[in-house]
Amino acid sequence: QTPSSAALGMLHYPPCDPPAEGRGRQPVSSSAIRVGEHTDFGAYTFLLLGDGAQGLQVKSVAGGEVGGAAGGEGEGWADVVPEPQPEGVVGAVVNTGALLARWTNDVWCATAHRVIVPTAAAAAAHRYSIACFIDPDADFVVAVDPRFARPGEELRYPPTTGLEYLMGKLREAQGVQKPAASGRD
């Protein structure tokens, strides 16, 4: 049994309308946001970015979740600007995910991120990136590592399996509550 699996996403953002002028790098409307604020579900994500992949932003969050009291599309965003690379070489970013926050009892927090349209030139260009999402296998037990709990501190998350965790995150993303227990085996 292996503790993780991976999914590879080839991400393409076609040209779009340019952002409104006059507000610096903060988008003024949802049309200037290609992908809204979120954290990835898994342990971590490797993101490969070419020179033309402008617009990735990150911000700090308290734990593994975003939105509501934890954040929003407002302030606190920092641009991710990969170092210039030689021809044929791409930059890489590693985002920590909500599962890593869970495993570490929120000692390591998930990376809140989004993709904006920063400039008219970026809006006119195709944007490409490759994301490799690292997740646990379906039957792998996902539990807080007790080394991340301070003496006397309760663990913030109950044990679950990789599949139960993923299904819960998908339901959460869709605004669906967990089904009630039926009492049947």
Side-chain angles (χ1 to χ4, degrees), residues 99-183:
L99 181 63
L100 189 62
R102 185 182 184 107
W103 270 331
T104 64
N105 213 37
D106 290 334
V107 171
W108 282 69
C109 296
T111 305
H113 55 285
R114 67 181 182 181
V115 179
I116 66 163
V117 181
T119 64
H126 291 268
R127 183 186 189 280
Y128 295 94
S129 57
I130 300 172
C132 182
F133 304 96
I134 307 300
D135 302 294
D137 280 346
D139 58 348
F140 187 78
V141 175
V142 175
V144 173
D145 185 324
R147 294 175 291 185
F148 287 96
R150 294 177 190 90
E153 179 184 27
E154 288 191 33
L155 302 181
R156 297 180 183 181
Y157 305 100
T160 187
T161 65
L163 179 60
E164 290 169 344
Y165 171 77
L166 176 61
M167 296 306 294
K169 294 305 278 182
L170 291 171
R171 282 190 297 271
E172 180 183 301
Q174 295 173 352
V176 177
Q177 296 295 318
K178 182 177 180 178
S182 66

